[in-house]
Amino acid sequence: MNSSAKNNTKVVWITGASSGIGKATALAFAAQGYSLILTALEADWLETVKQQALQSGSPRVASLPFDLSRLEELPALAETAWQQFGRIDIFYNNAGISQRGTTVDTEMRVFNKVMDIDFYAPVMLCKTILPKMLAQGGGQLAVTTSIAGKFGFPLRSAYCSAKHALYGFYETIQAEYYQQNIRVTIVCPGRVQTNISVNALEKDGQKHGVMDKGQAGGIAAEKAGRQICKAIIKQKREVFIGSKELIMVYLKRFFPGLTAKIARNISNM
């Protein structure tokens, strides 16, 4: 029996699926024969990904465009996602937004928006999906954090805060529900060629609108998506995605003082 035949009843819900890492991971799962639920802000982009996923081998694809900053409506979104195919085996919280601005200059509304989309939205969605997974006998939660969730970067105070918080939330779920067959995969990217820097919020909430030099030099989103899909299927606890910049994670572990000195001198990530 090939992998597509084995996986055609398994359902993966991916947020931030219209482009970048989310799209690439969705297409990687499609090639493995998984059914997909796709969520992102851009309905037309999602429809394109849906058609590509069907062509890549996914037997069923549902498109659920949504603005994840509408927190009060997220429980209803999660219920709708579950009802698409009557179950969700893997829920990958990938959607997120970044920020560019010093701590003093960045307005509180920017902090609020970043925290809403990057932290509170995943928490609220998980609060609806997790009990359903427990009732069905288990499931897997995955989330995109960042190496910015491992230590602070200049001009990223809101973003780093949200990504650090995700580690605490998902590691706690793993500790609480592992014996009930809930698995957690934390995806920790470094530099990946996506539009996250283009769509990042400036200190006043305006779009950054520029592909940062570090972002442009990152690995291709398609490569990242294949690695993430493989890690989730293998139920890895944590996976690092990127290139030479990932050395910072290991430096932080063994040489925290040196890491702090390097971070103080980072000009462009």
Side-chain angles (χ1 to χ4, degrees):
M1 183 179 293
N2 61 36
S3 60
S4 294
K6 288 188 292 184
N7 295 325
N8 62 9
T9 60
K10 291 191 174 183
V11 178
V12 184
W13 182 20
I14 302 176
T15 65
S18 61
S19 64
I21 286 175
K23 174 183 176 180
T25 305
L27 295 180
F29 271 112
Q32 294 296 319
Y34 286 77
S35 295
L36 297 172
I37 304 166
L38 307 175
T39 294
L41 184 61
E42 306 88 355
D44 52 343
W45 292 13
L46 273 186
E47 184 60 30
T48 298
V49 179
K50 174 181 177 178
Q51 296 306 318
Q52 292 175 339
L54 289 168
Q55 293 169 7
S56 297
S58 182
R60 302 174 297 175
V61 183
S63 176
L64 289 179
F66 200 83
D67 180 354
L68 295 181
S69 67
R70 290 156 49 187
L71 298 183
E72 68 282 357
E73 300 175 45
L74 293 183
L77 171 67
E79 292 283 355
T80 300
W82 191 275
Q83 292 166 10
Q84 296 303 303
F85 304 124
R87 66 182 296 116
I88 293 173
D89 299 281
I90 299 169
F91 177 28
Y92 180 21
N93 267 296
N94 166 70
I97 189 168
S98 191
Q99 163 251 348
R100 300 291 184 272
T102 63
T103 303
V104 170
D105 291 340
T106 300
E107 298 177 8
M108 272 309 303
R109 61 193 179 97
V110 174
F111 276 89
N112 291 337
K113 185 167 185 177
V114 172
M115 289 299 293
D116 282 351
I117 295 173
D118 290 10
F119 179 66
Y120 287 115
V123 168
M124 294 182 71
L125 292 172
C126 281
K127 289 276 287 178
T128 301
I129 294 299
L130 180 55
K132 296 178 181 295
M133 284 185 168
L134 290 167
Q136 76 180 5
Q140 187 171 0
L141 300 172
V143 64
T144 297
T145 59
S146 168
I147 60 173
K150 291 290 191 179
F151 50 92
F153 279 96
L155 310 181
R156 309 284 198 281
S157 55
Y159 183 67
C160 289
S161 297
K163 296 303 185 178
H164 275 72
L166 286 175
Y167 263 96
F169 180 72
Y170 279 86
E171 288 181 349
T172 299
I173 289 177
Q174 180 81 326
E176 291 177 338
Y177 297 104
Y178 188 90
Q179 299 302 327
Q180 293 168 265
N181 203 30
I182 297 297
R183 298 295 178 261
V184 171
T185 298
I186 296 176
V187 178
C188 184
R191 293 171 173 170
V192 181
Q193 294 173 19
T194 71
N195 286 328
I196 190 168
S197 62
V198 176
N199 295 322
L201 301 180
E202 292 279 0
K203 61 184 180 182
D204 58 356
Q206 296 297 311
K207 184 182 287 190
H208 184 54
V210 176
M211 175 71 74
D212 287 346
K213 182 179 178 181
Q215 202 82 49
I219 68 170
E222 292 75 17
K223 180 178 180 180
R226 291 191 297 269
Q227 292 176 353
I228 293 166
C229 177
K230 183 178 179 180
I232 293 174
I233 290 173
K234 289 188 172 183
Q235 297 187 340
K236 288 191 173 182
R237 186 187 63 82
E238 184 178 33
V239 58
F240 298 103
I241 304 295
S243 187
K244 60 184 179 180
E245 73 281 1
L246 298 179
I247 190 65
M248 288 287 286
V249 175
Y250 301 99
L251 284 176
K252 173 64 182 295
R253 185 179 303 169
F254 299 107
F255 306 101
L258 175 60
T259 305
K261 182 177 181 180
I262 293 172
R264 289 196 296 270
N265 292 283
I266 292 175
S267 59
N268 226 340
M269 178 55 188

